[in-house]
Amino acid sequence: MYEKSYYNQNETVDLTRSFSALMRNVYLWMTLGLVMTALTAMYVAGNANILTAIASNRALMWLLFGGEIGLVIWLSARIRQMSFLQAGLLFALYAILNGVTMSF
């Protein structure tokens, strides 16, 4: 990879190191999201009562799918105005909701 530096008012930033740290954080968040999704899907798939309640109720199923898509649209539109904590919690909610919808 290129070894470039960027000069910014008495401060030199190593772009390679900055990009590497950014990508490490992105992959960490994605891994945590996948783990939450997988654990939620395993729990729901293993619990016959929850699975039956979702599968037998069309309105609930559509609400889950619509909620998932709506949450993605809402997050995409407002991500720049959110605090780090709020964005993280909504990402966790999305991962869990995705696990519920993917469980069957």
Side-chain angles (χ1 to χ4, degrees):
M1 191 157 210
Y2 297 100
E3 290 294 323
K4 292 185 179 181
S5 293
Y6 174 71
Y7 183 74
N8 183 11
Q9 294 180 340
N10 304 329
E11 182 180 312
T12 301
V13 178
D14 184 8
L15 293 180
T16 305
R17 206 170 294 152
S18 298
F19 182 74
S20 177
L22 173 69
M23 292 309 294
R24 187 173 28 256
N25 285 337
V26 167
Y27 281 115
L28 176 65
W29 276 99
M30 291 299 108
T31 301
L32 289 173
L34 287 172
V35 167
M36 285 188 285
T37 299
L39 291 175
T40 303
M42 284 175 36
Y43 177 77
V44 172
N47 191 327
N49 293 335
I50 296 174
L51 198 58
T52 304
I54 294 170
S56 64
N57 188 344
R58 284 183 83 132
L60 180 59
M61 193 181 304
W62 281 107
L63 182 69
L64 289 171
F65 287 131
E68 190 173 5
I69 292 170
L71 186 58
V72 168
I73 292 169
W74 191 74
L75 269 169
S76 299
R78 300 196 184 265
I79 193 70
R80 292 202 190 328
Q81 291 88 24
M82 290 182 193
S83 68
F84 180 76
L85 178 64
Q86 186 181 13
L89 290 174
L90 288 172
F91 175 72
L93 175 66
Y94 170 75
I96 291 168
L97 188 58
N98 196 21
V100 171
T101 59
M102 297 291 183
S103 63
F104 55 95

